[in-house]
Amino acid sequence: MHKRNLLNLGITFALLSSTPFLGIQAQAQSQAQPQAQSSGAKLKIGFMLPATGTYAALGTAIDNGFRLYVAEQGGKIAGREIEYVRVDDESDPSKAADNVNKLIKRDNVDVIIGSVHSGVAMAMAKAAKESGTLLIVPNAGAVAVTGPMCAPNIFRSSFSNWQPGYAMGEVAAKKGHKRIVTITWKYAAGEETMKGFKDGFEKGGGAVIKDLTLPFPNVEFQALLTEIASLKPDAVFTFFAGAGAVKFVKDYAASGLKKSIPLYGSGFLTDGVLDAEGADADGILTTLHYADNLNFKRDQSFRLAYAKAYKLQPDVYAVQGYDAAQMLGIGLGATKGDPKNISDFAQALRKAKIDSPRGAFTLSSSHNPVQDIYLRRVVDKENVNEGVASKALADPGLGCKM
Ligand code: BEZ
């Protein structure tokens, strides 16, 4: 029987047999708004995530994953009850400094969790570094966050943009491709993913013959697709995510290019969006630190619990939110719940093996996950694992001094 069907059966059984997690969804919805002042002993967590725009669904999945882990711990982290404050950052870097400073200075949060967009995360890292507030980044891959902007109080539960790009560069070179065109949004996530790809691809003897870009979150791809057709590369490599990824995959297929020029991506191209992409995504190869059919027990129980709580299949964003909460638990466990004891918090995380649904990972000295990157193929609306493309891949962490 197909894996998805097996999982669905398991979920149905779980839904029928018990209901304790069904409360999470209602709880998540009721907590999705800023709340009243904290009551002393509660740990105040500031979520700065997109609730609107291209990346809105990604923000929701991170929030869901985080709350699932907290619910599994009985609603507490390191013995402390939680109070959430949530800001919609709209994936808009121009509003990010104001938004994060509201969380730090007005709401006096103990820890900040965010964000999805690299430009927003850089403003958050600057504010966290200046104020000393704990920051865990549950998605944004901006290399600078765990590079030049690294700090003892800044951690990432996700990836650096360089990591999935580099892994796919190696894969594409091994496939014998020589001339590749890249296409992405012109901001840190796109540019740094392309840099990673180029590093891996050129090392294997390939050449990037053209880098095509358009501003975030523009989705007018037509002129660029026409240019790809005239360049006739061996393949195309891309970074798009969220609603933009759906539009790109559909436009690529509609242009007829999919039949003649293979499309590769960093895994965000097809993660969390396969229902919307439908058959247009079939066969696309991507690289990422998660896949839909990892056979780890840890992943199976996570997927079941997530589906039971939210009646949705989890994706990489949900995993990263879940792991951000796990990391917070490990760090605060070592400080008896004190978020100001950065030194013990950091020491505990640097030594930790984080028991993630993606497979256990550790943190580099600059606090970025050192993790396996999987090669995945889209089959039947699933990102099916074809094996590890890069084992225990670490971001170089260039420029980090701490
Ligand atoms: C980023 O801006 O870093 C990003 C956004 C969506 C998916 C992956 C990375």
Side-chain angles (χ1 to χ4, degrees):
M1 192 185 299
H2 194 280
K3 188 91 187 67
R4 190 180 182 91
N5 295 338
L6 272 176
L7 181 64
N8 285 343
L9 269 183
I11 291 160
T12 309
F13 173 74
L15 283 168
L16 289 173
S17 60
S18 64
T19 52
F21 280 122
L22 289 175
I24 295 177
Q25 194 170 24
Q27 184 195 353
Q29 280 160 359
S30 73
Q31 288 174 331
Q33 299 300 322
Q35 298 187 344
Q37 274 301 304
S38 79
S39 58
K42 282 189 179 174
L43 183 75
K44 206 166 182 186
I45 296 181
F47 274 149
M48 188 161 146
L49 294 167
T52 52
T54 307
Y55 290 159
L58 289 55
T60 303
I62 289 168
D63 184 320
N64 287 347
F66 191 99
R67 289 176 202 259
L68 176 62
Y69 183 79
V70 173
E72 288 174 354
Q73 310 312 305
K76 292 182 182 173
I77 295 253
R80 293 184 66 179
E81 284 181 13
I82 311 284
E83 178 182 345
Y84 293 102
V85 181
R86 184 165 168 161
V87 170
D88 173 10
D89 67 38
E90 304 167 54
S91 295
D92 184 346
S94 73
K95 298 181 182 162
D98 276 355
N99 281 332
V100 70
N101 281 318
K102 269 183 217 150
L103 286 176
I104 294 171
K105 293 179 184 152
R106 182 193 66 189
D107 300 319
N108 285 314
V109 298
D110 295 305
V111 54
I112 315 165
I113 305 294
S115 184
V116 168
H117 185 289
S118 277
V120 172
M122 283 195 268
M124 296 177 74
K126 182 169 181 288
K129 204 169 165 142
E130 283 166 7
S131 64
T133 312
L134 269 178
L135 167 65
I136 303 179
V137 179
N139 184 69
V143 164
V145 167
T146 53
M149 301 174 88
C150 76
N153 58 317
I154 298 177
F155 302 85
R156 184 147 51 196
S157 65
S158 52
F159 61 94
S160 84
N161 291 320
W162 182 89
Q163 286 174 302
Y166 181 79
M168 187 48 98
E170 286 191 327
V171 169
K174 279 188 199 135
K175 284 186 175 296
H177 296 311
K178 295 289 176 222
R179 300 167 67 252
I180 280 192
V181 169
T182 67
I183 177 166
T184 189
W185 281 313
K186 193 167 179 50
Y187 83 100
E191 291 169 336
E192 292 168 0
T193 305
M194 298 309 132
K195 161 84 170 82
F197 178 81
K198 207 178 251 184
D199 287 353
F201 191 47
E202 288 180 348
K203 200 184 76 185
V208 173
I209 59 166
K210 185 101 189 190
D211 287 308
L212 299 171
T213 59
L214 71 172
F216 175 86
N218 191 321
V219 290
E220 296 309 316
F221 300 118
Q222 216 45 57
L224 299 175
L225 293 174
T226 304
E227 196 172 346
I228 291 172
S230 71
L231 287 165
K232 297 192 174 57
D234 298 344
V236 170
F237 174 70
T238 189
F239 164 85
F240 291 108
V246 176
K247 175 79 164 45
F248 184 78
V249 164
K250 292 199 149 300
D251 285 4
Y252 196 81
S255 71
L257 287 171
K258 188 164 179 240
K259 291 196 193 92
S260 52
I261 306 177
L263 177 61
Y264 301 134
S266 90
F268 307 105
L269 186 68
T270 58
D271 224 270
V273 282
L274 284 175
D275 282 338
E277 290 174 350
D280 289 337
D282 281 348
I284 293 178
L285 282 177
T286 63
T287 40
L288 203 64
H289 46 286
Y290 192 56
D292 286 324
N293 66 332
L294 298 174
N295 278 325
F296 308 131
K297 276 213 173 80
R298 184 76 175 99
D299 187 47
Q300 285 162 346
S301 58
F302 163 76
R303 291 181 78 90
L304 213 54
Y306 190 93
K308 203 160 104 176
Y310 302 109
K311 303 193 185 71
L312 287 171
Q313 300 289 340
D315 55 23
V316 70
Y317 309 105
V319 171
Q320 294 167 169
Y322 187 84
D323 290 340
Q326 284 207 70
M327 286 167 59
L328 185 61
I330 292 168
L332 290 181
T335 68
K336 299 195 179 68
D338 178 6
K340 300 260 180 282
N341 183 351
I342 299 296
S343 158
D344 287 359
F345 186 100
Q347 210 190 355
L349 274 177
R350 286 184 196 137
K351 286 195 305 213
K353 198 164 186 190
I354 295 135
D355 188 17
S356 171
R358 75 187 84 170
F361 69 89
T362 55
L363 291 181
S364 66
S365 56
S366 59
H367 299 173
N368 190 65
V370 178
Q371 57 193 339
D372 292 349
I373 308 288
Y374 305 100
L375 176 64
R376 308 112 46 89
R377 183 185 296 278
V378 177
V379 182
D380 243 354
K381 296 196 181 167
E382 284 202 321
N383 288 293
V384 175
N385 177 23
E386 297 220 322
V388 174
S390 274
K391 186 87 198 138
L393 185 65
D395 179 271
L398 297 177
C400 171
K401 293 191 186 72
M402 47 167 165

